[in-house]
Amino acid sequence: MLAKIKSTYLQMGYNLPLLIAFFLPFGINYAIFIIVWTVCFFAFDDVKVGMKRMLQNKWTYVLLTFFLIHAFGYFFSVNKEGALSAIEIKLSFLAFPILIGASNYNELQIKKIIISFVSGCVLVSMIDVFRACYLYFFQDFNAFFYTEFSYFMHPSYFAMYLIFAQLIILLFYPKWLSHLSNVTIKIGFMSVVFLTAIFLCSSKMGLITAFILLPLTFGIILYNKGYKKTIAGLLLALMIGIAMAYKLFPTPFERIKQAFKVTASSETIDKTDAESTAVRILIWKESIKLIETNFVFGTTAGDANDKLVEAYEREGLAGALRKKLNAHNQFLQTFIGTGTIGFILLLLMTVGSLIYGFIKKNYVLSLFSILMIFNFLVESMLQAQAGFVFFAFFFCILTQYNFHKLNKTS
């Protein structure tokens, strides 16, 4: 019986990360998949060989150290419950480096895992669109924008997922799916679905990163294929499309305009303001003060939010205090909690991996890093499941497997 289970796991074990990838956009609790994967790995896999393979990836040490400094901080934290929560949140930085790093998936299995993620994004996008249509036509409720549109998770996270999925489509689907009929139509359909969903998510950073990364990536692809005149035409079409979208659907653009307006008048922000951009600027100022007084070792991850709340109360930041907000910037959040070491490790996992991707010609890793850097600037994404699972999961896969080499052997 055990021999049969072992044989099944060795042949079909890649379906566990495949399921995690597929269900990521649904925002469910992935603990059961990770637990089953961990048990199967230690029970049926060649652990010694797997561990040796894992340790050959230098990025493993960065992620594991990042986890360990959060775990070590428990012993110095005043808020033990908060410290345990911080450790629980960062468990992905322990589990995925081991499970993915020890894996030896073949080309087809890796492609299936990535395609599974994109398929999950397509399904969730369609569900959100049909749900919004149903609510609009049958219940007279507008659920076409922002939190009303993104049903399964916060729109900032979902927009980030969709942008990454669209980058995968642009870079790899033409060859990965070249064996399918009407592949161009299918890619076009998925792209329309994703671009529509990104727009309807109305996430300010989602729209900004989409406007930067997607046209840039598509333009480079066309340039490398010799379609230089096409690029100019598409840029003109993009500008016309943005202008039309602004006239027909002003809500997402109004959010961006409001953000720039608040940023320009940052010195006169009302401390009781709860507007997202306004409150972020106030929070960032207090975060920097906390970093200055806890520069080397930080406050410990467990006490970071408590220290922020104390600062809000002391400075009269009613909007931030009422919601007990975190730093809304992952770089600041990490610096506050884990000090210089944690901040350097986070820089390595973002800016470092961006540079590493270019050096190794692993361009999708560089694009992923840019996407994460932009989002980390306005959200403490590693404090929420939708952020830390997504980041740790794909960071481990992208540093373990170079998709561009898979593409060449398609």
Side-chain angles (χ1 to χ4, degrees):
M1 180 67 178
L2 284 175
K4 188 175 182 181
I5 295 174
K6 179 178 180 179
S7 176
T8 302
Y9 168 73
L10 294 176
Q11 292 179 27
M12 306 295 292
Y14 75 93
N15 282 296
L16 290 167
L18 184 149
L19 287 171
I20 292 174
F22 179 78
F23 284 110
L24 269 172
F26 288 88
I28 65 171
N29 191 322
Y30 314 97
I32 183 63
F33 297 117
I34 297 173
I35 291 170
V36 171
W37 190 3
T38 303
V39 170
C40 289
F41 169 70
F42 284 101
F44 306 122
D45 216 326
D46 191 331
V47 177
K48 185 177 180 180
V49 172
M51 288 298 183
K52 186 177 180 180
R53 186 182 298 116
M54 174 197 75
L55 295 174
Q56 289 174 349
N57 185 346
K58 294 180 177 62
W59 290 104
T60 298
Y61 299 98
V62 178
L63 273 76
L64 292 180
T65 305
F66 192 68
F67 168 78
L68 288 174
I69 61 171
H70 284 82
F72 190 64
Y74 173 83
F75 300 102
F76 302 93
S77 180
V78 175
N79 185 347
K80 297 298 184 184
E81 185 177 343
L84 284 174
S85 177
I87 294 171
E88 181 184 356
I89 286 171
K90 298 302 183 293
L91 275 174
S92 293
F93 290 82
L94 173 65
F96 289 136
I98 294 173
L99 296 173
I100 295 173
S103 68
N104 189 27
Y105 300 129
N106 61 41
E107 177 182 321
L108 182 59
Q109 291 169 339
I110 286 297
K111 288 180 180 179
K112 284 183 176 180
I113 291 169
I114 303 307
I115 289 170
S116 175
F117 168 72
V118 176
S119 300
C121 287
V122 172
L123 180 58
V124 171
S125 297
M126 296 296 291
I127 291 172
D128 283 342
V129 170
F130 282 120
R131 172 181 170 272
C133 290
Y134 172 80
L135 291 174
Y136 184 79
F137 289 110
F138 294 100
Q139 297 191 15
D140 196 27
F141 179 75
N142 186 352
F144 279 106
F145 296 104
Y146 202 46
T147 51
E148 288 83 4
F149 173 74
S150 183
Y151 178 72
F152 295 98
M153 63 176 62
H154 192 279
S156 297
Y157 293 87
F158 188 45
M160 178 177 67
Y161 286 21
L162 295 176
I163 293 167
F164 183 56
Q166 183 60 36
L167 288 171
I168 290 170
I169 288 175
L170 290 174
L171 290 168
F172 305 112
Y173 266 37
K175 286 192 176 181
W176 284 9
L177 304 183
S178 59
H179 59 286
L180 299 177
S181 60
N182 301 317
V183 65
T184 303
I185 295 173
K186 291 170 182 175
I187 289 174
F189 171 76
M190 287 186 285
S191 297
V192 169
V193 169
F194 285 162
L195 294 175
T196 301
I198 291 168
F199 182 75
L200 295 179
C201 280
S202 304
S203 163
K204 286 170 282 192
M205 187 52 71
L207 291 171
I208 291 170
T209 50
F211 287 149
I212 293 172
L213 290 180
L214 298 181
L216 179 63
T217 303
F218 192 44
I220 291 172
I221 292 171
L222 291 175
Y223 182 84
N224 289 335
K225 290 185 176 182
Y227 299 121
K228 297 177 183 178
K229 293 182 179 179
T230 307
I231 296 173
L234 287 174
L235 282 174
L236 180 62
L238 177 64
M239 293 173 65
I240 294 171
I242 292 173
M244 290 178 63
Y246 178 72
K247 285 290 184 182
L248 296 172
F249 309 103
T251 302
F253 295 96
E254 290 299 327
R255 286 176 48 77
I256 295 177
K257 283 175 63 178
Q258 178 65 18
F260 281 113
K261 181 180 177 182
V262 171
T263 303
S265 58
S266 60
E267 297 300 322
T268 58
I269 296 174
D270 183 357
K271 290 186 176 183
T272 63
D273 201 336
E275 195 276 330
S276 61
T277 303
V279 79
R280 275 180 173 86
I281 293 172
L282 296 172
I283 287 171
W284 293 341
K285 290 180 179 179
E286 296 308 314
S287 297
I288 292 169
K289 291 178 186 177
L290 280 174
I291 289 169
E292 289 172 349
T293 55
N294 301 274
F295 188 81
V296 179
F297 299 109
T299 63
T300 75
D303 293 340
N305 284 349
D306 292 342
K307 295 295 183 182
L308 281 169
V309 170
E310 289 174 10
Y312 303 155
E313 187 171 13
R314 184 172 60 251
E315 297 297 326
L317 307 186
L321 179 61
R322 185 166 61 252
K323 297 181 179 180
K324 295 185 177 180
L325 299 175
N326 58 35
H328 272 68
N329 178 306
Q330 190 57 56
F331 296 104
L332 295 178
Q333 184 80 33
T334 297
F335 212 144
I336 293 169
T338 57
T340 306
I341 297 175
F343 179 67
I344 291 172
L345 290 171
L346 186 60
L347 284 180
L348 283 173
M349 290 185 286
T350 50
V351 179
S353 63
L354 165 61
I355 298 168
Y356 177 81
F358 277 112
I359 292 172
K360 295 294 183 179
K361 297 183 178 180
N362 187 352
Y363 301 118
V364 69
L365 172 60
S366 295
L367 289 169
F368 175 79
S369 301
I370 294 170
L371 178 64
M372 298 312 303
I373 289 169
F374 271 105
N375 281 278
F376 281 3
L377 288 173
V378 295
E379 293 285 352
S380 296
M381 287 202 155
L382 300 184
Q383 309 308 114
Q385 177 182 268
F388 64 74
V389 174
F390 173 79
F391 176 75
F393 182 78
F394 280 111
F395 183 87
C396 290
I397 288 180
L398 290 169
T399 54
Q400 183 84 357
Y401 301 95
N402 189 332
F403 295 177
H404 298 276
K405 292 182 179 179
L406 300 180
N407 203 28
K408 289 180 180 179
T409 57
S410 294

